[in-house]
Amino acid sequence: MIPLNFEPVVHFFNELDSTNSKLKELALMGAPEGTLIVAKKQTQGRGRLARSWHSPEGGFYASVLLYPLVPKRITDLPFLVGVAVTQTLQQVLPKSLEVSLKWPNDVLVNKKKIAGILSEAFGENEFYGAIVGVGININTPSKELEAFQKNAFQATSVAALTEGENLPIEEVLNIFKVKLFNLYRLYQEKGFVPIHTLWEKNCKMMGKKIQVRDVEPRGETIEGILWGLSDRGGMVVENAKKEKVEIISGELACCWY
Ligand code: BTN
């Protein structure tokens, strides 16, 4: 069990290919649970669905090593980390800005993507765990985001939203660490239910019309009303026939909210 006021081991790097890859190396050498890796920039940052994650200096790139034994459901972890990122952004951004989770693991501010999460399982037995990587556009210059303005959810950064204000990465890390391990302790004590509740509370798309590309189980585009998160982290959508369908893996393509 992670103790109160847990202080994780944090490794800082000026540059890495990917914080997830580096943490995997350390995990294989026996790094303890909670180990964090932070890099100023990444040369081969990785995203979900085999995409890359553009990682110039100014962003927050971190990965954490977790071995959840009770409950042993590593698929819960990216949702937990998504809530931690949301709470971190809510603390550092002006209250007038709307922070929202977007299924499965993105964080939006004022409907634009500011953060993504990549969770990778590895190991076995009691060392069956996850490396959960977080990328947040903090002081990322606007020109670095230009290539992502055609995405369904355009990219943004803290700097772009606050007229270039500089937010120290260490401050983001300190807040994120506290939020993350408080949530992880809550998860260890009470399981996924409170995380699930917090996730839905911080998803401003709940009850709104959405379009989702379903990778699993159907492989089609589904339109409907976002009903909520299933108890295994799928997205439940109510379709035009008023049926509730669960999407286990996929991507939200559009939301009218
Ligand atoms: C996504 O939205 O597709 C997920 C992006 C995850 C990016 C982070 S940055 C830190 C960590 N290291 C990586 O290579 N990827 C994750």
Side-chain angles (χ1 to χ4, degrees), residues 4 7 10 15 22 27 47 55 66 92 101-102 108 115 124 132 138 141 144 159 167 175 192 195 241 250-251:
L4 268 174
E7 261 312 317
V10 187
E15 181 180 309
K22 185 70 189 174
S55 312
L66 297 170
V92 300
L101 281 156
K102 166 183 168 273
L108 309 182
E124 52 194 29
V132 190
I138 303 285
E144 298 282 358
L167 175 63
I175 299 170
F192 189 49
I195 305 299
K241 293 186 210 152
E251 186 169 47

Side-chain angles (χ1 to χ4, degrees), residues 2 40 45-46 48 83 113 134 142 158 168 171 203 207 214 240:
I2 291 281
K40 281 191 183 159
R46 292 183 280 116
R48 282 185 69 240
V83 174
K113 179 162 169 172
V134 175
S142 294
V158 171
E171 192 179 324
C203 172
D214 164 43

Side-chain angles (χ1 to χ4, degrees), residues 1 3 34 63 68 79 92 95 101 115-116 129 152 206 240-242 247 249:
M1 176 79 76
S63 299
F79 296 95
V92 300
K95 299 284 165 273
L101 281 156
M206 294 283 294
K241 293 186 210 152
K242 300 268 177 221
I247 293 139
S249 165

Side-chain angles (χ1 to χ4, degrees), residues 19 37-42 53-56 59-63 134-135:
T19 54
I37 297 257
V38 182
K40 281 191 183 159
K41 62 176 177 172
Q42 299 181 119
W53 182 259
H54 184 51
S55 312
F60 175 76
Y61 313 108
S63 299
V134 175

Side-chain angles (χ1 to χ4, degrees), residues 147-164:
F148 309 96
Q149 297 314 312
K150 289 203 181 88
N151 292 5
F153 292 89
Q154 296 172 5
T156 194
S157 66
V158 171
L161 291 157
T162 57
E163 286 163 11

